[in-house]
Amino acid sequence: MNRCFELAQLGRSTAHPNPMVGCVIVYDGKIIGEGYHTGFGKPHAEVEAIRSVNDKSLLQHSTLYVNLEPCAHHGKTPPCANLIIENKIPNVVISNVDPHEKVAGKGIKLLESAGIQVKTGVLSEKGSNLNKNFFTFHQKKRPYIVLKWAQTSDGYMGRSAGDSSMNKAISNDFSNQLVHELRANSDAILVGTNTAIVDNPALTTRLVPGRNPLRVAIDLRRRIPKSHKLYDGSASTLIIGPSQEAVSAEFANPPANADIWPFILETLFERNVVQLLVEGGNNVLTQLIEANLWDEAIIITGDQKWKNGIKAPILSITEATRTFSLSTDTIHIINNK
């Protein structure tokens, strides 16, 4: 199963919005086939693994290991459970039951009804952590929300208005590359109005190979200038607010007096955004923290001290599940328990 996890992660930046899945086929104690889900709409891990077996006659005496329950419905590809049955594989070992309502145990029942021995729950905690965004999306009906910000060693994330050194970067080039990797592994990236206006970010994955996420900006009063990078057409863009003409973007305008965050998250859920990266300012980040609408926070702490400016949100870095250094920067990753 650990090998399944290793294989699954090869699709980290390409499987979206599908989960990462790896599959291994074992005969007489030896691996005879393996595969992983390489991308949305492409063959699933089980298909790739079965295809890789040279002597198909061995399949009827083998055990198939997969970290997520084989599908039992027709989607972009045929049901994997049916393929397993057709190849008469007698044993299947699964880490996690698929939370998707179209699967959710149906694949297991289909296998068992065909006389296949099925074992579930193998390294299930590790398996669910691997696809934590996918599980959150289907169980909570919202994206997996990752908060990201950079702060100085004394806790400031931005300069005060009018400060002559306002644009001085906090994080180094290594951290900037990490951020672009986070973007490539996310389905959407969100900023608030002030961040969009003041920073004029492109919100693309320029520093690493990979797809650009959907760019999302909150602009309830049409304040973002049409000349800003969000409207340059370089990536798909969604504006939360009233529509405008002559700009390259889609719009989703919340009803009057609507609670803004449930509206945004429901809108993104309907657009199949499994993972949302939030790179907003203090206001947006604090709102999500106070509403407990976050799953993971990535805090980049530089070695500078500003002594004044805009304070960063407050989360206890002592609760970080992982801490590491990138040259002069320290990265804290905090999971919301």
Side-chain angles (χ1 to χ4, degrees):
M1 191 59 71
N2 278 319
R3 178 56 180 162
C4 290
F5 298 149
E6 290 176 355
L7 291 166
Q9 292 182 77
L10 296 176
R12 179 174 295 279
S13 63
T14 57
H16 292 279
N18 288 348
M20 293 179 284
V21 182
C23 180
V24 171
I25 299 174
V26 175
Y27 168 77
D28 195 25
K30 296 180 180 179
I31 293 176
I32 61 170
E34 58 183 31
Y36 69 97
H37 184 45
T38 59
F40 181 63
K42 294 184 178 180
H44 289 184
E46 299 94 323
V47 177
E48 296 285 13
I50 290 172
R51 285 178 178 174
S52 73
V53 176
N54 292 324
D55 185 353
K56 298 294 193 291
S57 68
L58 299 180
L59 290 172
Q60 57 188 304
H61 306 290
S62 300
T63 298
L64 182 146
Y65 294 81
V66 64
N67 60 289
L68 195 67
E69 175 186 4
C71 62
H73 67 289
H74 283 271
K76 293 284 185 181
T77 60
C80 291
N82 287 355
L83 182 65
I84 294 169
I85 293 169
E86 289 168 7
N87 282 276
K88 300 180 181 180
I89 300 174
N91 303 294
V92 174
V93 179
I94 300 167
S95 179
N96 298 113
V97 175
D98 195 324
H100 195 300
E101 59 185 12
K102 290 184 178 180
V103 187
K106 296 182 179 68
I108 293 171
K109 288 182 180 179
L110 192 60
L111 294 173
E112 290 178 332
S113 66
I116 294 173
Q117 294 293 316
V118 180
K119 182 177 182 180
T120 61
V122 176
L123 299 179
S124 59
E125 184 174 348
K126 190 172 181 178
S128 59
N129 185 61
L130 174 69
N131 281 306
K132 53 193 175 184
N133 52 4
F134 180 76
F135 279 85
T136 296
F137 180 80
H138 286 285
Q139 292 170 346
K140 297 186 177 182
K141 307 301 180 184
R142 65 161 174 81
Y144 182 86
I145 302 171
V146 180
L147 310 181
K148 189 282 301 179
W149 71 85
Q151 64 182 31
T152 61
S153 60
D154 54 351
Y156 293 95
M157 70 181 305
R159 291 292 196 180
S160 301
D163 192 315
S164 60
S165 58
M166 185 174 176
N167 293 323
K168 188 175 181 181
I170 295 173
S171 54
N172 61 39
D173 290 343
F174 300 105
S175 295
N176 292 339
Q177 183 170 336
L178 172 66
V179 170
H180 281 238
E181 289 176 358
L182 289 170
R183 291 177 180 179
N185 291 332
S186 299
D187 301 296
I189 176 172
L190 180 143
V191 295
T193 308
N194 289 336
T195 297
I197 294 173
V198 175
D199 294 350
N200 190 16
L203 303 182
T204 56
T205 57
R206 303 177 304 281
L207 302 180
V208 299
R211 63 194 177 87
N212 289 319
L214 172 69
R215 304 185 293 192
V216 184
I218 303 171
D219 189 12
L220 301 176
R221 296 193 294 276
R222 296 194 181 103
R223 292 173 53 206
I224 302 173
K226 293 182 179 180
S227 58
H228 270 34
K229 294 175 184 176
L230 280 173
Y231 294 130
D232 65 8
S234 63
S236 298
T237 303
L238 173 67
I239 303 297
I240 305 299
S243 61
Q244 299 185 62
E245 295 181 354
V247 292
S248 179
E250 296 181 77
F251 295 85
N253 193 25
N257 302 317
D259 194 337
I260 188 67
W261 289 112
F263 173 81
I264 291 173
L265 297 180
E266 182 178 349
T267 298
L268 295 179
F269 178 80
E270 291 173 351
R271 287 172 172 262
N272 221 21
V273 172
V274 175
Q275 180 162 306
L276 172 67
L277 178 63
V278 180
E279 292 193 27
N282 180 286
N283 184 41
V284 165
L285 293 165
T286 299
Q287 284 182 37
L288 289 168
I289 292 170
E290 290 180 348
N292 200 33
L293 285 173
W294 65 285
D295 300 290
E296 186 175 327
I298 299 174
I299 304 171
I300 302 170
T301 303
D303 62 349
Q304 303 175 46
K305 285 188 178 181
W306 285 359
K307 298 182 180 180
N308 57 64
I310 300 171
K311 274 288 189 180
I314 298 175
L315 279 180
S316 177
I317 60 175
T318 60
E319 297 181 6
T321 54
R322 186 184 176 200
T323 299
F324 59 94
S325 296
L326 288 175
S327 184
T328 54
D329 293 348
T330 302
I331 316 298
H332 298 281
I333 300 176
I334 305 172
N335 291 106
N336 186 6
K337 301 175 182 178

